[in-house]
């Protein structure tokens, strides 16, 4: 069966995570074709955030969403099992999106917001924050630096040589390998992943 492609297969059940990224008629048409009995009568579950993450990656079409909702039942997942209350509150203030009620029992640390006036000050504050984390005993591989842009467009490439040596740009191989490096990623490529400390 190694030569059978996704398009040649008929699947009994379809589970789609981050479905907002596929919420358009072109993607639904592909999924319709590979699911036994199609979307109308087949067995499927779509997990998505049409609130705060639509149109970040892929193409979100509200008409496609309405079509799909006619075929299924909606269940709102109101609990956030991933983030602390502090992270949820800060994210909701910045994004204006509702991301759920915290289910974690323990309180997390406060989100530290750093302001800067220029590129030089930004690099200085990032360097200082990295040094603080390391001095607190945090391992490099427990840190991720996220950006709106790729590494070669980011200010991170202007760090001094020592700190730059701590960082690797994310790829399919190093995300699953054990290494003692800080992961650099743009936000889209980091989607669905986790690190204990995010800059």
């Amino acid at each position: 069966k190694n030569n059978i492609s996704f398009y040649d297969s008929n699947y009994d059940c379809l589970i789609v995570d981050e479905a907002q990224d596929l919420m358009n008629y072109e993607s639904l048409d592909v999924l319709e074709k590979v699911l036994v009995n199609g979307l109308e009568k087949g067995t499927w579950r779509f997990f998505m955030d049409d609130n705060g993450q639509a149109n970040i990656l892929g193409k979100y079409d509200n008409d496609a969403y309405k079509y799909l909702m006619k075929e299924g039942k909606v269940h709102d997942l109101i609990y956030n099992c991933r983030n602390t209350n502090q992270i949820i509150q800060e994210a909701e203030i910045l994004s204006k999106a509702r991301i759920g009620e915290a289910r974690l029992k323990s309180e997390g640390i406060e989100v530290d917001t750093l302001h800067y006036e220029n590129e030089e000050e930004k690099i200085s504050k990032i360097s200082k924050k990295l040094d603080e984390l390391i001095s607190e005993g945090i391992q490099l591989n427990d840190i991720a630096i996220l950006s709106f842009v790729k590494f070669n467009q980011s200010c991170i490439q202007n760090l001094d040589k020592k700190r730059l040596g701590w960082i690797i740009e994310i790829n399919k191989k190093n995300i699953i390998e054990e290494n003692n490096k800080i992961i650099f990623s743009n936000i889209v490529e980091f989607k669905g992943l986790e690190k204990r400390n995010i800059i």
Side-chain angles (χ1 to χ4, degrees):
K1 289 201 167 192
N2 291 342
N3 295 329
I4 296 175
S5 78
F6 173 76
Y7 297 99
D8 298 329
S9 302
N10 286 320
Y11 295 94
D12 296 321
C13 180
L14 181 65
I15 298 172
V16 181
D17 194 16
E18 303 288 356
Q20 71 276 356
D21 298 339
L22 301 173
M23 196 51 59
N24 56 72
Y25 284 114
E26 296 86 1
S27 297
L28 292 181
D29 186 51
V30 170
L31 298 174
E32 167 81 26
K33 289 175 181 169
V34 300
L35 179 63
V36 172
N37 298 321
L39 294 172
E40 186 177 341
K41 295 182 180 173
T43 302
W44 51 267
R45 302 290 183 271
F46 279 52
F47 296 93
M48 62 182 290
D49 176 5
D50 63 327
N51 171 5
Q53 294 190 39
N55 284 323
I56 292 177
L57 181 65
K59 181 180 148 200
Y60 181 87
D61 181 342
N62 201 48
D63 289 337
Y65 173 73
K66 288 176 184 174
Y67 160 78
L68 190 67
M69 291 306 96
K70 284 192 286 186
E71 306 301 334
K73 294 180 180 177
V74 177
H75 297 280
D76 288 330
L77 304 176
I78 61 170
Y79 297 114
N80 186 320
C81 301
R82 187 177 205 174
N83 301 116
T84 63
N85 208 26
Q86 288 84 350
I87 292 170
I88 291 170
Q89 288 173 4
E90 191 75 15
E92 288 184 348
I93 289 167
L94 294 173
S95 70
K96 309 292 187 256
R98 180 86 177 103
I99 63 171
E101 179 184 325
R103 292 295 280 187
L104 296 177
K105 301 290 183 203
S106 61
E107 287 293 305
I109 60 172
E110 292 298 320
V111 175
D112 189 9
T113 304
L114 304 176
H115 299 277
Y116 57 89
E117 295 293 325
N118 53 48
E119 286 295 302
E120 186 178 317
E121 188 178 359
K122 181 175 13 174
I123 291 296
S124 173
K125 289 193 174 194
I126 291 170
S127 297
K128 185 178 177 189
K129 178 51 71 176
L130 288 173
D131 292 346
E132 284 174 18
L133 293 171
I134 302 308
S135 70
E136 291 169 13
I138 293 170
Q139 298 296 309
L140 294 177
N141 60 1
D142 279 333
I143 304 170
I145 298 173
L146 305 185
S147 175
F148 289 106
V149 298
K150 297 272 190 187
F151 183 80
N152 62 0
Q153 301 168 316
S154 168
C155 69
I156 295 299
Q157 66 183 325
N158 298 322
L159 288 172
D160 64 85
K161 191 173 182 180
K162 177 182 92 170
R163 292 181 186 91
L164 205 52
W166 297 344
I167 300 169
I168 55 172
E169 190 171 6
I170 195 171
N171 62 43
K172 290 177 184 174
K173 188 174 180 190
N174 65 30
I175 197 57
I176 58 172
E177 285 180 341
E178 283 296 318
N179 56 61
N180 195 27
K181 295 277 188 178
I182 296 168
I183 289 284
F184 175 93
S185 177
N186 73 33
I187 293 167
V188 169
E189 290 174 347
F190 198 76
K191 196 170 177 184
L193 301 174
E194 293 183 357
K195 286 289 180 183
R196 290 180 184 270
N197 302 276
I198 302 287
I199 296 177

